[in-house]
Amino acid sequence: MSVTDVASKAEDQSAAQSQRQEIDEVTVRFAGDSGDGVQLTGGQFTQATALAGNDLATFPDFPAEIRAPVGTTFGVSAFQIHFGARRIYTPGDAPDVLVAFNPAALKVNLPDLIKGGLVILDAGTFNKRNFDKAGFENDPREDGSLDGFRVLEIDITAQTHNAVEGLGITNKEAGRCKNFWTLGFVYWLYGRDRASTIDWIKTKFGAKRPEIADANIAALNAGHAAAETAELGADISAVHVAPAPLEQGLYRNITGAEALSLGLVAGASLADLPMKFCSYPITPASSLLHELAKLKSFDVTTFQAEDEIAAVCAAIGASYAGGLGVTSSSGPGIALKTEAIGLAIGVELPLVIVNSQRAGPSTGMPTKTEQSDLFQSVYGRNADAPLIVLAARSPADCFDVAIEAVKLSTKYMVPVILLSDGFIANASEPWLVPDFDTYEPFPVQFRTDPEGFLPFARDEATLARAWAKPGTPGLEHRIGGIERAEGTGHISYEPDNHERMTKLRAQKVLNAADDIPAQTVDSGPESGKMVFVSWGSTYGSISSGVKRALADGLEASHVHLRHIWPLPKNLGELLSGFDRVIVPEMNNGQLVTLLRGEYAINAEPLTQITGRPFKADRIYHVIKDAS
């Protein structure tokens, strides 16, 4: 393409954008059956949106059932994306646009749509049979259910079949292309480029099923052309969302599971250790095993054990042998690992435990998010068995938190629990890829000198014991679950020794606070009327709600905790400067209880246990109502 062609194309694109309505941000939700490719559609829209330069946050929401009956509300899968021309911290409180592939998707998701929002319906699925499956007594298009919304009815199913006719695929395969037809339509509405999706389709299907690739591309292009030529109505228009003013650099979309895997690998590299990742599949933690299995070239060994107990014991064995043992699960699996985690605490070996929290108790709601494992992480073991607990706040933040978990675990010879959750694990956001050369290595020093060696002798500053690899001449020693004698590590039932060892292990964990930065205020004044204390994935909603209030001239502050145990040394003093301390959590009040116990403050709970993230609007109205 010549310079003249490039200039001409740029002018055409600029002219096309100038005809669009300019908006600052928008939230779009795709919804349909699990078999409609909703998550794939959302993922491709996310990729195209990132390439357009917008900041974004996503929220994949899918059922626990592998495949619920087609057309029922139990099987509805959804993907929400919030993107804009400014910094985006949440996947959006409520969608502005709902794309519903069937009546069940409409029934489940319509209550969340803002009044006046746009509904795009696949009219080809709106029939008596599907109304009955979804629980509609009447056609929702005719009974007033859609009053107050802008509605765009398209027979997407028929349009898709027409677009792929003659391309050598079956009628069933043609029906599966409708998500790409819809994607093309929505791409035009928001000025997204189709190139990245076409490349993905060719890579995914081109080699083995070229006819499927051709059909999906044809459907994508047909949907785009249909939107461009359709009479959408006076109240429905194409829009333009300008690029966000992000820091310059190399970006990629990243999920929490992807960032955790890269962070763990980076941490092991900085510690100069081979990593042994041992786990057992469980939702939503399984994706971490999948991601790390792709990274074997970075001295990573992945091991899928026969159960949770075998997985954590294998990870402890890896650490005993001189590697970095890592294990992962969700709340129910962490419960099964508990005794072995106590063993790692007692024998004082490094171990990183990733907990991707989900709604419980027991099996609970496996695909829904929650923050209900804080008590389990800080207190949930027999005897006095403390360890270090960290919590990631967003998908991208998982990278640095994973590195910190490795550093603290190896420095203090203690297990570290890293808390994520279902929202963080599956959601995505743009990540500014860091320059790894700027990270300071923290290589592990193994004991090699047998002179004066005692397996439970301690570093005076950290109280960590020496790490000696089995087989090192002169450093033979035993470990096990029975209490060890101070220094020698021999089996001991002496009362005074047990008390000393219990207090030494606890103090060692508290000493890790020396490596924890002083707590700062994320936004708002350093003291005043009201502070919201968040941890984990509530960060985005609380940050957005507080910043909105500050912009409106209201008074509030926000403090976000990465370090759950030990807590930052200055946290108590910081919180004492506020009249009210409010703790929003997706549980029944766990951090608030911890803060009350540690600092004897009248912290107030603000709880939500719905399996969904907090809404920023709720935080804003708490501030507004108190003003």
Side-chain angles (χ1 to χ4, degrees):
M1 182 179 289
S2 69
V3 174
T4 303
D5 290 335
V6 172
S8 177
K9 183 177 180 181
E11 289 175 3
D12 291 342
Q13 290 176 339
S14 178
Q17 299 292 14
S18 67
Q19 298 171 8
R20 294 172 172 268
Q21 177 188 358
E22 193 77 29
I23 61 174
D24 184 55
E25 60 182 307
V26 67
T27 300
V28 178
R29 183 182 296 179
F30 300 92
D33 270 317
S34 295
D36 286 334
V38 170
Q39 302 303 319
L40 187 156
T41 303
Q44 289 302 309
F45 189 83
T46 299
Q47 181 74 9
T49 297
L51 289 171
N54 300 126
D55 197 13
L56 62 91
T58 70
F59 177 43
D61 188 19
F62 40 84
E65 291 79 11
I66 294 174
R67 185 60 62 85
V70 174
T72 64
T73 56
F74 303 106
V76 171
S77 177
F79 187 103
Q80 183 163 305
I81 174 171
H82 179 201
F83 59 98
R86 58 172 184 80
R87 288 304 307 271
I88 299 296
Y89 296 97
T90 78
D93 283 359
D96 305 291
V97 179
L98 171 63
V99 180
F101 284 109
N102 62 18
L106 179 68
K107 187 178 184 66
V108 170
N109 292 282
L110 187 63
D112 293 335
L113 189 65
I114 65 168
K115 282 300 178 183
L118 174 61
V119 184
I120 301 175
L121 303 177
D122 179 6
T125 64
F126 276 63
N127 53 50
K128 179 64 166 60
R129 183 167 179 265
N130 285 334
F131 295 155
D132 291 342
K133 285 184 177 182
F136 281 117
E137 294 182 1
N138 302 295
D139 187 338
R141 298 170 297 178
E142 300 174 354
D143 66 359
S145 298
L146 298 175
D147 290 351
F149 301 102
R150 296 171 294 147
V151 181
L152 188 57
E153 290 186 52
I154 311 167
D155 193 337
I156 296 173
T157 302
Q159 294 265 18
T160 303
H161 278 83
N162 291 337
V164 303
E165 187 176 1
L167 294 179
I169 62 173
T170 66
N171 192 58
K172 184 177 182 180
E173 290 170 337
R176 289 176 177 169
C177 297
K178 73 175 186 177
N179 62 326
F180 283 104
W181 192 99
T182 308
L183 193 58
F185 191 96
V186 179
Y187 273 5
W188 184 85
L189 285 179
Y190 293 99
R192 309 288 83 154
D193 194 323
R194 287 161 284 165
S196 64
T197 300
I198 291 173
D199 289 343
W200 182 88
I201 292 171
K202 289 178 178 178
T203 302
K204 179 74 173 177
F205 302 107
K208 294 184 178 180
R209 295 293 305 274
E211 71 280 12
I212 295 292
D214 292 343
N216 282 326
I217 292 170
L220 179 75
N221 290 333
H224 193 275
E228 190 172 11
T229 57
E231 294 291 338
L232 299 178
D235 59 347
I236 302 173
S237 62
V239 300
H240 176 242
V241 183
L246 301 175
E247 181 182 348
Q248 291 295 310
L250 176 65
Y251 284 82
R252 60 160 287 185
N253 268 349
I254 200 162
T255 66
E258 291 168 341
L260 273 174
S261 65
L262 294 174
L264 289 169
V265 170
S269 175
L270 293 168
D272 196 22
L273 292 172
M275 187 171 80
K276 314 295 181 183
F277 181 81
C278 312
S279 74
Y280 179 76
I282 183 172
T283 302
S286 301
S287 52
L288 184 56
L289 171 61
H290 303 160
E291 293 300 327
L292 283 168
K294 304 173 186 176
L295 303 176
K296 294 178 181 178
S297 60
F298 295 97
D299 207 5
V300 176
T301 301
T302 53
F303 169 56
Q304 180 176 317
E306 66 267 30
D307 57 43
E308 297 281 8
I309 299 171
V312 66
C313 288
I316 294 170
S319 290
Y320 177 57
L324 175 65
V326 182
T327 191
S328 170
S329 192
S330 189
I334 299 297
L336 292 169
K337 297 178 190 288
T338 297
E339 183 183 358
I341 294 172
L343 171 64
I345 293 169
V347 300
E348 301 186 51
L349 283 169
L351 177 69
V352 177
I353 307 138
V354 179
N355 181 353
S356 298
Q357 301 165 95
R358 71 188 204 186
S362 187
T363 302
M365 299 191 295
T367 61
K368 306 304 178 185
T369 195
E370 203 161 274
Q371 291 182 298
S372 53
D373 294 348
L374 185 145
F375 280 168
Q376 181 189 49
S377 300
V378 177
Y379 303 118
R381 289 160 298 282
N382 62 294
D384 287 299
L387 44 64
I388 296 170
V389 183
L390 307 177
R393 73 183 191 183
S394 70
D397 187 51
C398 288
F399 180 80
D400 287 318
V401 177
I403 292 175
E404 185 172 7
V406 175
K407 182 177 182 179
L408 291 174
S409 185
T410 53
K411 181 173 181 177
Y412 290 92
M413 295 290 285
V414 67
V416 173
I417 289 181
L418 194 168
L419 290 170
S420 175
D421 60 37
F423 171 47
I424 290 176
N426 296 313
S428 65
E429 64 180 345
W431 176 49
L432 178 60
V433 179
D435 180 357
F436 193 59
D437 291 338
T438 63
Y439 285 77
E440 184 177 351
F442 43 88
V444 167
Q445 301 297 319
F446 289 100
R447 177 68 184 256
T448 57
D449 180 10
E451 182 68 29
F453 171 68
L454 291 174
F456 282 84
R458 302 180 183 278
D459 180 275
E460 291 184 1
T462 65
L463 295 183
R465 76 174 183 90
W467 195 358
K469 291 183 183 180
T472 304
L475 301 184
E476 295 83 2
H477 63 284
R478 296 174 297 174
I479 63 171
I482 297 177
E483 182 64 278
R484 324 304 300 181
E486 183 180 1
T488 65
H490 299 322
I491 291 174
S492 174
Y493 291 94
E494 291 297 322
D496 290 344
N497 175 79
H498 176 55
E499 182 168 5
R500 284 196 306 274
M501 291 294 283
T502 299
K503 290 184 176 180
L504 281 169
R505 288 189 292 261
Q507 187 59 51
K508 180 177 66 169
V509 171
L510 293 176
N511 285 354
D514 293 338
D515 286 302
I516 293 175
Q519 184 63 52
T520 59
V521 175
D522 187 78
S523 56
E526 300 288 325
S527 61
K529 292 171 54 178
M530 177 189 306
V531 63
F532 289 83
V533 181
S534 64
W535 68 278
S537 63
T538 58
Y539 169 79
S541 299
I542 296 166
S543 178
S544 296
V546 171
K547 287 177 179 176
R548 177 184 166 193
L550 291 170
D552 286 351
L554 304 176
E555 184 180 338
S557 297
H558 176 208
V559 167
H560 182 80
L561 301 182
R562 171 185 285 186
H563 305 91
I564 307 301
W565 194 260
L567 293 162
K569 288 183 175 181
N570 68 321
L571 181 62
E573 181 182 357
L574 181 66
L575 297 182
S576 68
F578 294 93
D579 297 337
R580 296 178 64 190
V581 177
I582 303 173
V583 187
E585 300 181 80
M586 293 187 292
N587 58 47
N588 208 25
Q590 297 189 15
L591 178 64
V592 69
T593 301
L594 179 64
L595 295 178
R596 286 170 173 172
E598 287 298 304
Y599 304 123
I601 58 174
N602 186 28
E604 305 171 35
L606 183 64
T607 63
Q608 175 178 303
I609 323 167
T610 61
R612 291 185 170 189
F614 260 90
K615 292 183 177 181
D617 192 60
R618 184 180 181 191
I619 305 300
Y620 173 81
H621 281 288
V622 169
I623 301 169
K624 186 176 180 180
D625 292 346
S627 299

